Amino acid sequence: MNPACAAGLRCPVCHGPLAVFGRALRCPKNHSFDLAKEGYVNLLPIQKRHAAQPGDGKAMVAARRAFLQAGYYDPFRRALAELCLDLAPENARIVDAGCGEGSYDETVLAAFAGAGRAVQLIGFDLAKPAVRLAAKLVPQALFAVGGSFCAPVADGWADVLLNVFSPFAAAEFARMLRPGGVLIYAVPTPRHLYGLKEILYDRPYENPDQNTDYPGFVRLPDRERTVTAALTLDAAAAQQLFMMTPYCYNTPAAGAARLAAQQTLGTEIGFRFLVYRREPGA
């Protein structure tokens, strides 16, 4: 856990600043939050916990960790890190909204270290199992259990905000970013995972081509990047891919059985990294 990043967090009760006191974070009103042994902190307000275990479950988190660490999405991880290096100022402050198990943040921080550039990173996610893994993987960052619509980050702290396939909370993103700060929003290309969907569904469909404008942000199409590739996966990796996506929740039993019977899976993959700048006064 990076103590310097603690100044970028805010109390989920009173929204005051947090500081490190021993093995806890505390605000001026003495609201206190214990640091877990892995170094993360739970800042999800009780009233925002709409389930006993919010966010992705342990099986989904484990599948995502195994798949990403095997390198299948490395082109996306590298592209995100390159964009961060290109768009971030010196001594950058980065927030990852919906950080998952930390693999993207691992690549981003390694890129800054390789370039000899200072950076602070805060990541948060609803899923405690994911945050626990992220804190162990990337101890130089600071991770918290929290949600995008009740984000535990101080106003205007971030120079760059990352959102990889997570819910889009425009008002909170604008609040966390400094004026002129940059949002990098990763969305799937139309053909992302189409080969997987051809097996799962009788009528596979393309993803919508997202070109959305958001209040408080100016889109920067000249800074965007699209990264595509093709994967051939063995049966185990195909199951990890299936388990880490929302498809595992809404696929008919027959489709899941067809995938389980496959010895290999070939599929297109593609990310679009949309870039937005926060408007002053937003």
Side-chain angles (χ1 to χ4, degrees):
M1 190 271 287
N2 185 342
C5 291
L9 294 175
R10 72 175 191 174
C11 174
V13 180
C14 67
H15 295 170
L18 290 172
V20 179
F21 286 85
R23 292 293 303 171
L25 298 181
R26 190 181 305 163
C27 75
K29 293 186 177 181
N30 285 322
H31 299 125
S32 185
F33 307 90
D34 292 338
L35 289 166
K37 64 180 181 180
E38 296 88 353
Y40 71 90
V41 61
N42 193 331
L43 297 177
L44 182 64
I46 292 176
Q47 63 270 26
K48 298 294 184 180
R49 298 176 190 174
H50 302 305
Q53 297 293 332
D56 296 337
K58 287 184 178 180
M60 177 178 275
V61 170
R64 186 173 293 120
R65 164 57 63 86
F67 190 86
L68 293 179
Q69 290 292 311
Y72 297 113
Y73 275 11
D74 277 3
F76 305 140
R77 293 169 65 179
R78 289 193 297 268
L80 180 62
E82 290 164 5
L83 266 177
C84 288
L85 282 171
D86 184 44
L87 295 169
E90 294 301 316
N91 300 309
R93 294 172 171 178
I94 298 175
V95 168
D96 188 356
C99 62
E101 45 68 56
S103 289
Y104 289 97
D105 297 325
E106 178 188 38
T107 305
V108 168
L109 291 189
F112 274 81
R117 291 176 55 181
V119 62
Q120 296 178 49
L121 188 145
I122 293 174
F124 62 84
D125 199 284
L126 283 172
K128 187 186 293 185
V131 173
R132 182 181 293 116
L133 288 179
K136 294 173 69 174
L137 182 67
V138 195
Q140 64 269 44
L142 178 54
F143 292 95
V145 179
S148 290
F149 293 92
C150 54
V153 177
D155 295 0
W157 186 82
D159 299 302
V160 178
L161 191 144
L162 312 180
N163 184 295
V164 180
F165 287 18
S166 290
F168 197 97
E172 281 290 82
F173 292 171
R175 180 187 64 77
M176 289 184 282
L177 277 167
R178 64 168 174 79
V182 174
L183 165 67
I184 302 174
Y185 182 28
V187 299
T189 59
R191 300 282 295 185
H192 179 58
L193 300 184
Y194 194 82
L196 174 63
K197 289 188 282 190
E198 284 184 307
I199 295 172
L200 297 178
Y201 303 119
D202 294 331
R203 294 182 179 179
Y205 56 90
E206 292 190 351
N207 303 308
D209 195 3
Q210 292 184 233
N211 293 286
T212 307
D213 292 321
Y214 296 97
F217 292 93
V218 175
R219 189 172 161 205
L220 306 177
D222 59 318
R223 309 305 292 271
E224 295 175 3
R225 290 190 62 180
T226 298
V227 181
T228 60
L231 294 181
T232 300
L233 306 174
D234 62 21
Q239 283 298 314
Q240 291 167 355
L241 177 61
F242 176 57
M243 286 295 298
M244 72 183 242
T245 69
Y247 304 135
C248 69
Y249 295 131
N250 55 27
T251 294
R258 286 195 296 270
L259 180 64
Q262 301 291 313
Q263 296 301 307
T264 61
L265 168 69
T267 187
E268 300 169 64
I269 56 173
F271 281 18
R272 290 180 64 213
F273 293 96
L274 308 180
V275 179
Y276 297 83
R277 189 175 302 281
R278 184 201 164 198
E279 291 186 293

